[in-house]
Amino acid sequence: VAYHGTSQAGCWGILQKGLQAGGGQAHASGTDVRTGQKIGNGIYCSPGLSVPLNYGDKGASIAGHAVQIVMQCRVRPSAIKRCHDENSNRDAYWVINDPSDIRPYGVLVKPK
């Protein structure tokens, strides 16, 4: 399981078209901490909720209530490029290069 923070508008786009790599690719030139492979461009996600909650829409609102939105996803384990080791860093980032290797299956809505 992985989590991907998004905006309210982004949520609808993800539900319609799936996840796609965004413009911010901070770790693209880095290497996977376990395999040494180049990370490259891809979809950023995390095995924990703290990081995606920081990237979710700060102004989302549902029925007049302020909320944060995070997509819950399934990821092909062999497709994970690790920017950090999740065993020692609870705020680890993962990058998935191929959108077919990550599938959103739940929308988590957290009241602010």
Side-chain angles (χ1 to χ4, degrees):
V1 173
Y3 301 95
H4 177 84
T6 189
S7 66
Q8 192 168 4
C11 177
W12 297 117
I14 291 167
L15 292 173
Q16 292 172 347
K17 299 177 184 175
L19 286 160
Q20 300 172 13
Q25 299 289 322
H27 295 276
S29 62
T31 56
D32 183 301
V33 297
R34 291 192 186 171
T35 67
Q37 293 178 327
K38 182 179 177 185
I39 290 174
N41 290 337
I43 298 157
Y44 281 65
C45 59
S46 179
L49 277 169
S50 60
V51 170
L53 283 171
N54 287 329
Y55 284 89
D57 189 348
K58 305 290 191 236
S61 173
I62 297 176
H65 300 281
V67 297
Q68 290 178 283
I69 299 171
V70 173
M71 306 302 293
Q72 187 173 16
C73 306
R74 289 286 186 197
V75 177
R76 183 183 319 275
S78 62
I80 298 169
K81 300 283 181 70
R82 290 170 171 84
C83 304
H84 315 99
D85 187 348
E86 67 272 12
N87 295 319
S88 60
N89 183 346
R90 294 179 54 145
D91 295 332
Y93 288 84
W94 289 350
V95 175
I96 312 304
N97 302 121
D98 185 343
S100 68
D101 289 329
I102 182 167
R103 179 174 46 90
Y105 70 94
V107 178
L108 308 179
V109 179
K110 179 182 183 277
K112 285 194 216 177

